[in-house]
Amino acid sequence: MSAVRAAGAATRAGLSARDAAEVYARLGREPNAVEARMLAVMWSEHCGYKHSKTALRRLPGRSPRVVSGPGENAGVVAIGGGWALAFKMESHNHPSAVDPYNGAATGIGGIIRDILAMGARPVALLDSLRFGPLDEPRPRRLAAGVVAGIAGYGNAIGVPTVGGELRIDPCYRDIPLVNVACLGLVRADRVVTAAASGPGNVVLYVGARTGRDGIGGAAFASAELDETQAAADRASVQMGDPFAGKLLIEATLQALEAGGVVAMQDMGAAGLTCAASEMASRGGVGMTLDLDRVPLREPAMRPEEILLSESQERMLLVVAPAAAATVAAIYRRWGLTAEVVGTVTADRRLRVLAGGRVIADLPPDVLADAPAYDPPSEPPADLHERWRPPVLPEVDPTDVLLRLLAHPDVAGKRAVYQQYDHSVGIRTVVRPGDDAAVLRVLEAPPLGVALVADGNARWCAADPRRGGALVVLEAAANLACVGAEPVAVTDCLNFGSPERPAVYWTFVETIEGIAEACRALDAPVVGGNVSFYNEAEGGRAIAPTPVVGLAGVVPDVARTVPAGFQRAGDLIAVVGDGEASLGASLYAQVVAGRARGRPADPAPARAVAAIACVRDAVRQGVLASAHDCADGGLAVALAEACMAGGHGAAVTLPAGPTTLFGEGPGRFVVSISPPQYGVFEALARARGVPFCALGRVEGDRLRLTPPGARAAAVEVPVDALRAAWTSLEV
Amino acid sequence: MTWGVVVFPGANCDRDCVHVLRAVLGADVAEVWHADRSLDGIDALVLPGGFSYGDYLRSGAVAATAAVMPAVRAFAASGGPVLGICNGFQILTEARLLPGVLMRNRSLRFQCHPVWVRVESTATPFTAGLRLGDVLEMPIAHGEGAYLAPPETLDALEAAGRVVFRYCDARGRVVASANPNGSAAAIAGVANAAGTVVGLMPHPERASEALLGSADGRRLFESAAAWLAARRPATSGAAR
């Protein structure tokens, strides 16, 4: 058989000529039409990580706490008391661009099942969103639909949405970003694997029935979007059923209690094909599947439709034969289907039967292990041009402070998070709107976990390596404010086409930056995903947008502090002396219209020292409030602490031109009751962390006075700050 | 005494209620499966919040026909205390154990945030231990919580003192801005004629521990426990 003919079925199924040749080389034959369809989906960028898996190896994935790292459905990290957390973030950008409600809703459903597949009860959701300007009709429609979809699924399934972020930029006009993270809790000795094992064990299909929805969704997610294709693509978007999702959670946790479950995985992207081949490949075994036994929602579905359907709320279990009846009965009691659809075999072949005939027979490794590409990489030609310090006009600082507070990236997000049930589960101790959310671990009091999601494309577009590190350090600073130590990182890396050398270079640099900061924090990256091809018609790519989710441990949930100033008379200090830069800052964007220049040097070791200092001060009860300096720098942080606490502040600024609005890592605004000030001073000195007393909490106005000056440069009533900051309408 | 918490398959506050009753109040709790037909041994019943059967139809409409509901009706008819929280309130109105309906919020959106309610009646097991005018802070989390009823029903409820909770501000003033969802007369909770069946939209189980921001909701459960303890001798006498 000629290689040219061999490429026939494979290329017709959508594989590139290069991948088709690779298939031929690995199989030693031409795949048949069904196999070719399976391969095309498994080797899509979305499932196969072809352009990213080499670079992703640069991320640190190990720490003594890690129970299960990358390669499983979600990372699992020990948190003490015999418990562990499962944590993962994923993107659902492409489906949300076409059908915002269902795209976002199924994103929530999918990430919840990834956590459930580890044997963990899902207890919290985070979402990180990007849209174009909300005064334009399309971004507004997308934003409203996405928020409603997250609410529609998350609220019904009873997993609280406790935090996240929302940023606006014209680059997301056509391609919104919808990144969702879920955190679950599992006993450390009860973590479930997704590696099939034990020839003779049965393969149990559980959950909802299989329909024609979402066929080829993974391949669709790996292509650039074309507006005229949108209507046709709608069939590639799945529909969520949170009720079925809720049943699946409860039934699965009961089934695990009953025993006999060897392995399990969500049927998400590429459905049955992905779950079966990945589970068999991980376990080094084979699997036989009989499609005639798959519960169907509609008649006369073709075998490849059954194999590739992305119908939601389905999972694949490997179960000991003796336990199969008991496990199936539990699912049926919850009103779900449960059918034995196959067996685990010793021969490392994935064999698919339909109508009594073998329709596909190939090694699961070939499906599960897509080729790794090493695409050309080149820095953008204008990189050094971008790094020139911005020339910024003289502006009135009060005026610019109010404009910064009104900017959508800074403005209040109450209108969004009030649509999410964030208190169901009675674990939410620190609610949305603070630096990080804190949930109590009801199973092991007084332990808690803290969660935050962060991303900043402005920094990453200017300098991806610095930006990647700064984003991680910023998230760690948020955790420190509630006394949490980061123990697990998950990330969504949202980029344009990796086939463009500048995009690929940016991607790799971002990963290096994230890796550097994670190493400094000793926080492993335990999972996540990559979303490439975030480009609209005509090749307009989004800005490089890594989003990180950090989970941290809080030893005692009663010992956290709020972001806002608590009492008049408390002393205000700024902690940390990391570089602050106006380059690529929100200030530069607001006053000059474009965020030019280079972001601050992350200097991770220095930032981490300040982060640890604040964390320990919070844990020891020394601080009255803690808030990190992020977008808009010290000025915005002070304003936010005033608004959150309902107090004014009189502050004398430290020296330096960038102190007011410059952005950089590891800087905090804290307030301290006067008797505690000496304690904090000693704590910071002992660690060599610089801090500077700025003033005190007083009155109902924010007054900022330059060093040595008598007159205030900024003097604004807190009510006026609040009026500017008033919530974004979505 | 033993509390029963009905577990509808799509309920998502059942575990929260069980935690509060068992771990915070130290009471005995039985989880009652939606397909069960008996409430033997139950002294007080909670219909928890959530999305009982997905609520793709009107909230609570399917649950009102659940297998367990005849037993719930019989329990209510015999004077057993029943508390419907959020979806549980919706189910009680759909089952006609309480008057009125819960329509979509005025905002047409799901809303989750703390609210304050004023105690308007102490003639129920759940408020007997509270004082008229007490202000309680509890969160709401619902998309369909606007309490509506025909004017004559509302008049009758007011006249009979069956409005149990009314949305108010932190100082107990019933003002328009404190009504989160457009409920008629700012009604957050009502009772049946006997006062033993109470439904409310806010979540007392989410406000039963100071760590979560408020422990005001715990007073409803404690009140019912005390009410039952006081009633017990009389009840066993009547049962003979």
Side-chain angles (χ1 to χ4, degrees):
Chain A
M1 194 182 300
S2 77
V4 178
R5 242 197 88 198
T11 49
R12 268 198 304 283
L15 285 164
S16 67
R18 177 181 173 182
D19 285 355
E22 178 74 21
V23 166
Y24 187 84
R26 292 210 210 165
L27 288 182
R29 65 174 168 86
E30 179 181 8
N32 68 31
V34 173
E35 292 166 341
R37 289 286 301 273
M38 295 165 78
L39 283 159
V41 179
M42 289 302 292
W43 285 18
S44 68
E45 192 61 43
H46 185 76
C47 290
Y49 290 81
K50 288 184 292 194
H51 286 93
S52 59
K53 57 181 166 188
T54 308
L56 289 174
R57 291 198 193 106
R58 301 173 193 223
L59 293 169
R62 294 279 134 207
S63 93
R65 287 178 179 271
V66 173
V67 179
S68 158
E72 287 279 351
N73 285 305
V76 179
V77 173
I79 54 171
W83 284 81
L85 62 81
F87 191 37
K88 189 181 184 186
M89 182 182 275
E90 236 177 29
S91 63
H92 238 222
N93 306 336
H94 287 75
S96 304
V98 174
D99 180 347
Y101 186 95
N102 286 300
T106 54
I108 297 289
I111 197 68
I112 284 174
R113 285 189 300 282
D114 281 341
I115 297 306
L116 179 61
M118 303 310 297
R121 174 175 283 280
V123 299
L125 293 163
L126 295 173
D127 55 76
S128 183
L129 310 176
R130 302 286 185 280
F131 302 105
L134 294 178
D135 50 7
E136 297 176 14
R138 178 175 154 85
R140 200 175 173 82
R141 181 182 66 82
L142 290 174
V146 164
V147 170
I150 291 169
Y153 201 102
N155 296 349
I157 204 167
V159 181
T161 301
V162 297
E165 43 146 23
L166 190 164
R167 288 168 179 271
I168 302 298
D169 191 274
C171 76
Y172 308 110
R173 192 174 268 137
D174 297 304
I175 310 277
L177 299 186
V178 178
N179 293 179
V180 293
C182 185
L183 179 132
L185 294 170
V186 55
R187 286 232 339 238
D189 58 354
R190 296 269 181 90
V191 177
V192 180
T193 178
S197 61
N201 281 338
V202 301
V203 179
L204 189 69
Y205 168 116
V206 300
R209 293 171 171 275
T210 295
R212 285 196 168 91
D213 46 341
I215 289 173
F220 155 69
S222 305
E224 294 163 28
L225 279 181
D226 176 349
E227 185 63 24
T228 58
Q229 261 301 108
D233 284 340
R234 208 154 288 143
S236 295
V237 180
Q238 314 86 333
M239 307 279 282
D241 174 2
F243 179 51
K246 175 68 167 64
L247 303 177
L248 204 49
I249 293 176
E250 301 304 336
T252 300
L253 293 173
Q254 278 187 8
L256 292 173
E257 280 294 314
V261 177
V262 173
M264 68 178 157
Q265 181 161 333
D266 173 37
M267 285 193 255
L272 186 55
T273 298
C274 181
S277 59
E278 286 190 354
M279 290 175 85
S281 173
R282 274 194 207 100
V285 294
M287 211 179 262
T288 299
L289 295 177
D290 184 353
L291 298 186
D292 296 349
R293 297 165 82 169
V294 173
L296 300 181
R297 203 163 56 206
E298 43 198 314
M301 283 181 66
R302 294 200 308 276
E304 62 270 32
E305 290 179 322
I306 299 170
L307 279 167
L308 297 176
S309 163
E310 294 183 9
S311 289
Q312 299 287 291
E313 290 89 25
R314 306 176 304 155
M315 294 179 87
L316 203 62
L317 275 56
V318 171
V319 184
T326 311
V327 169
I330 290 168
Y331 282 95
R332 291 187 190 123
R333 179 169 183 263
W334 283 93
L336 296 166
T337 64
E339 295 295 336
V340 173
V341 296
T343 49
V344 176
T345 59
D347 64 356
R348 304 191 74 154
R349 307 285 299 179
L350 178 63
R351 205 170 279 114
V352 183
L353 285 82
R357 233 163 38 81
V358 175
I359 59 162
D361 183 355
L362 69 176
D365 298 347
V366 172
L367 286 160
D369 189 16
Y373 293 164
D374 187 15
S377 165
E378 202 181 302
D382 65 342
L383 192 64
H384 292 278
E385 166 72 12
R386 283 188 211 168
W387 287 350
R388 279 204 311 200
V391 180
L392 299 170
E394 280 289 320
V395 285
D396 171 45
T398 303
D399 176 59
V400 77
L401 174 60
L402 295 174
R403 282 164 63 196
L404 286 167
L405 292 174
H407 190 279
D409 293 3
V410 175
K413 306 295 187 297
R414 214 165 63 145
V416 177
Y417 65 72
Q418 278 195 351
Q419 296 184 54
Y420 304 143
D421 190 340
H422 46 77
S423 54
V424 66
I426 54 171
R427 295 174 183 272
T428 317
V429 175
V430 178
R431 300 176 211 163
D434 219 304
D435 277 272
V438 178
L439 292 107
R440 59 176 171 167
V441 179
L442 271 172
E443 298 80 355
L447 200 59
V449 290
L451 282 171
V452 68
D454 249 311
N456 187 318
R458 239 181 15 252
W459 296 338
C460 297
D463 186 331
R465 186 179 290 240
R466 285 188 173 187
L470 290 169
V471 165
V472 174
L473 293 170
E474 155 81 24
N478 287 138
L479 289 187
C481 292
V482 295
E485 175 194 4
V487 296
V489 182
T490 180
D491 58 355
C492 269
L493 305 173
N494 308 277
F495 288 80
S497 166
E499 295 162 45
R500 294 172 201 280
V503 170
Y504 189 71
W505 179 86
T506 306
F507 174 71
V508 175
E509 284 287 297
T510 305
I511 287 177
E512 292 287 7
I514 292 174
E516 187 188 356
C518 288
R519 280 192 298 267
L521 287 161
D522 206 9
V525 180
V526 293
N529 91 332
V530 178
S531 174
F532 281 136
Y533 301 103
N534 289 291
E535 302 195 358
E537 220 178 332
R540 287 190 313 276
I542 60 161
T545 314
V547 173
V548 297
L550 260 61
V553 170
V554 178
D556 180 353
V557 283
R559 292 218 166 193
T560 69
V561 296
F565 296 138
Q566 296 299 298
R567 278 175 308 269
D570 282 356
L571 302 166
I572 299 170
V574 60
V575 184
D577 71 341
E579 186 195 336
S581 170
L582 288 176
S585 67
L586 188 62
Y587 177 86
Q589 180 163 319
V590 164
V591 303
R594 251 180 98 185
R596 298 198 68 90
R598 195 175 189 192
D601 179 352
R606 193 159 59 164
V608 168
I611 286 167
C613 173
V614 168
R615 174 177 72 230
D616 291 344
V618 169
R619 288 180 173 186
Q620 290 170 28
V622 178
L623 302 180
S625 73
H627 185 38
D628 95 303
C629 298
D631 294 86
L634 179 62
V636 165
L638 284 164
E640 287 173 339
C642 286
M643 291 186 288
H647 289 282
V651 162
T652 303
L653 294 168
T658 62
T659 47
L660 202 48
F661 297 109
E663 296 170 5
R667 282 199 309 157
F668 300 84
V669 168
V670 302
S671 67
I672 311 164
S673 72
Q676 290 287 344
Y677 192 79
V679 183
F680 179 73
E681 206 169 18
L683 193 152
R685 288 244 163 83
R687 290 150 180 271
V689 172
F691 68 100
C692 172
L694 296 182
R696 63 177 66 236
V697 179
E698 64 174 49
D700 57 4
R701 306 165 83 78
L702 173 63
R703 280 186 52 213
L704 306 176
T705 310
R710 305 192 118 211
V714 171
E715 182 161 3
V716 203
V718 176
D719 284 343
L721 297 173
R722 216 178 263 125
W725 179 81
T726 294
S727 185
L728 196 68
E729 277 305 316
V730 172
Chain B
M1 68 165 288
T2 301
W3 288 84
V5 175
V6 180
V7 180
F8 294 103
N12 59 31
C13 304
D14 48 333
R15 295 163 44 84
D16 301 357
C17 290
V18 169
H19 167 83
V20 167
L21 293 169
R22 195 175 277 160
V24 180
L25 266 71
D28 292 328
V29 186
E31 293 174 45
V32 180
W33 186 238
H34 67 115
D36 289 353
R37 289 171 191 276
S38 159
L39 291 172
D40 287 353
I42 303 293
D43 299 299
L45 191 64
V46 176
L47 301 191
F51 291 69
S52 40
Y53 292 91
D55 283 348
Y56 296 122
L57 192 58
R58 285 190 324 273
S59 295
V62 177
T65 69
V68 74
M69 286 309 285
V72 173
R73 285 176 200 282
F75 183 81
S78 71
V82 179
L83 183 67
I85 302 167
C86 195
N87 191 223
F89 186 14
Q90 294 165 339
I91 293 167
L92 290 172
T93 61
E94 285 288 339
R96 288 281 159 247
L97 286 165
L98 290 174
V101 293
L102 292 145
M103 301 289 286
R104 287 190 74 183
N105 295 346
R106 184 173 44 194
S107 67
L108 302 181
R109 286 174 172 184
F110 191 97
Q111 286 171 240
C112 178
H113 52 83
V115 298
W116 290 272
V117 296
R118 195 172 72 189
V119 176
E120 302 284 282
S121 162
T122 53
T124 83
F126 303 97
T127 53
L130 284 68
R131 282 172 312 209
L132 283 180
D134 277 356
V135 175
L136 312 179
E137 183 187 343
M138 298 185 271
I140 56 164
H142 61 245
E144 299 178 3
Y147 184 80
L148 297 178
E152 58 275 18
T153 305
L154 291 173
D155 290 346
L157 286 173
E158 300 279 6
R162 288 168 59 190
V163 173
V164 184
F165 301 106
R166 230 185 280 274
Y167 298 109
C168 63
D169 66 12
R171 291 157 64 186
R173 295 171 303 193
V174 176
V175 290
S177 58
N179 182 341
N181 50 27
S183 290
I187 291 171
V190 297
N192 66 350
T196 48
V197 177
V198 171
L200 80 167
M201 288 314 294
H203 285 270
E205 82 283 11
R206 297 187 192 182
S208 289
E209 294 163 88
L211 185 62
L212 300 181
S214 167
D216 293 349
R218 185 162 85 204
R219 298 174 64 192
L220 273 64
F221 302 113
E222 287 168 343
S223 169
W227 183 88
L228 273 169
R231 195 186 68 151
R232 180 144 300 169
T235 314
S236 41
R240 251 198 310 272

